[in-house]
Amino acid sequence: MAKPKPTQAHLSRTIAKHQSEFFKQRTRNSMEYYMGAKLLEVGVNPKHTIYRWSSQIQGDQETITISAYWGESRQTLEAEDS
């Protein structure tokens, strides 16, 4: 039996909470670029995905996560948003 193909991906980075907004934005930009490159590697068009960002603070650390959704996961997310 064939294993179902994934329809979402997540990438997280942990940085110091007190970092400048410039550093945080640079981190987000590099994460988005890396996510797009990885999606291309597995045959997913990054322009046909929905991206969501989340941030979680734990003590003096902040974990930034980018999530990409395509295919069935994208349809489910769009249905929930509408």
Side-chain angles (χ1 to χ4, degrees):
M1 186 169 175
K3 184 178 171 185
K5 289 188 175 184
T7 58
Q8 54 183 282
H10 310 278
L11 174 67
S12 296
R13 294 281 185 264
T14 301
I15 60 173
K17 182 174 72 172
H18 62 71
Q19 288 291 340
S20 69
E21 195 54 43
F22 171 79
F23 181 82
K24 290 179 182 181
Q25 187 59 48
R26 189 177 68 179
T27 301
R28 287 185 198 102
N29 289 344
S30 68
M31 290 172 67
E32 190 168 1
Y33 178 84
Y34 183 77
M35 177 67 82
K38 284 300 187 184
L39 290 173
L40 286 172
E41 278 184 16
V42 297
V44 175
N45 186 339
K47 293 184 179 183
H48 295 149
T49 62
I50 293 178
Y51 295 100
R52 295 284 194 253
W53 289 94
S54 65
S55 178
Q56 186 176 33
I57 295 175
Q58 299 169 336
D60 63 346
Q61 300 290 316
E62 180 175 0
T63 302
I64 301 169
T65 303
I66 182 172
S67 300
Y69 303 91
W70 64 93
E72 194 175 296
S73 290
R74 178 186 172 148
Q75 293 170 353
T76 302
L77 198 59
E78 287 174 333
E80 290 173 0
D81 287 348
S82 55

